[in-house]
Amino acid sequence: MTADDINPHQVLWADCVIIEFAITMATSFQIARTLAEYVHTINQPISVALVANKSDMIERKTVSDTEIRRLCAEYNLLFFETSASEGWTSMNQVFVTLAQRVQHILKKKEKLTRFMQNPAVAAKLRSNSHSETLLSEHGELELLLCH
Ligand SMILES: Nc1nc2c(ncn2[C@@H]2O[C@H](COP(=O)(O)OP(=O)(O)OP(=O)(O)O)[C@@H](O)[C@H]2O)c(=O)[nH]1
């Protein structure tokens, strides 16, 4: 699989992305890396989870923790280990965590929109040559802009 196989619209408007690979298959990890690179270039910042599946098959693990850690650090990925064969609990945790993150970000965006729509703020931004200072003084905003 290469980046050419991916439809950009699948990630362009996404609020989050889950990239899954099998710890027993090095090729699936290489594909996960390709996907992580691609998502990073097309839609950033975004919450991206890297899911290492088949955690029950540790004896056949061919992807090293160092490689996984490096990839997560490179693209700021949330990391999860799952085992589809051991039930839905671990996979469910991935979806719940990502949904909570997305909800948190959307709430912050709403807050930012309301802040920017406040007539007093808008007027100040228009007249104030130091609008960046005003923005950074607003802690919530600063956090949002960094996200
Ligand atoms: N032991 C174990 N087997 C799994 C796990 N997840 C999937 N499998 C098994 O792996 C096989 C392939 O699963 P699929 O869901 O078809 O995944 P796939 O990506 O199409 O196939 P693979 O390339 O083998 O990963 C099936 O026999 C699954 O039951 C897991 O977490 N643990």
Side-chain angles (χ1 to χ4, degrees):
M1 184 179 199
T2 69
D4 292 341
D5 300 320
I6 310 164
N7 177 353
H9 293 285
Q10 287 174 332
V11 285
L12 194 57
W13 301 107
D15 289 316
C16 63
V17 170
I18 297 174
I19 299 173
E20 181 255 339
F21 70 98
I23 60 164
T24 54
M25 205 182 296
T27 50
S28 75
F29 182 72
Q30 289 316 317
I31 293 170
R33 169 169 275 286
T34 303
L35 291 173
E37 285 165 359
Y38 183 76
V39 171
H40 187 75
T41 54
I42 207 158
N43 187 353
Q44 187 199 2
I46 187 176
S47 294
V48 184
L50 181 70
V51 177
N53 191 38
K54 302 197 181 181
S55 62
D56 55 297
M57 298 178 74
I58 192 84
E59 70 288 348
R60 289 177 52 194
K61 187 171 178 175
T62 54
V63 182
S64 77
D65 289 339
T66 311
E67 284 178 289
I68 295 171
R69 264 199 299 275
R70 194 180 301 141
L71 183 59
C72 289
E74 219 172 312
Y75 297 109
N76 195 25
L77 310 177
L78 292 163
F79 180 65
F80 298 88
E81 286 182 291
T82 62
S83 170
S85 73
E86 288 181 345
W88 52 269
T89 319
S90 57
M91 202 60 220
N92 191 52
Q93 191 55 47
V94 179
F95 286 100
V96 170
T97 305
L98 275 181
Q100 285 170 342
R101 264 182 91 99
V102 169
Q103 190 184 38
H104 182 70
I105 290 163
L106 290 179
K107 273 187 183 162
K108 279 189 171 286
K109 280 185 180 165
E110 273 174 31
K111 213 169 174 181
L112 171 64
T113 307
R114 280 201 303 276
F115 176 71
M116 300 297 272
Q117 284 170 346
N118 179 322
V121 172
K124 201 161 186 184
L125 282 173
R126 271 196 305 273
S127 66
N128 194 339
S129 57
H130 301 296
S131 2
E132 277 181 24
T133 314
L134 176 70
L135 287 173
S136 63
E137 275 169 2
H138 197 277
E140 295 283 349
L141 257 176
E142 207 174 16
L143 253 178
L144 234 181
L145 295 171
C146 292
H147 194 87

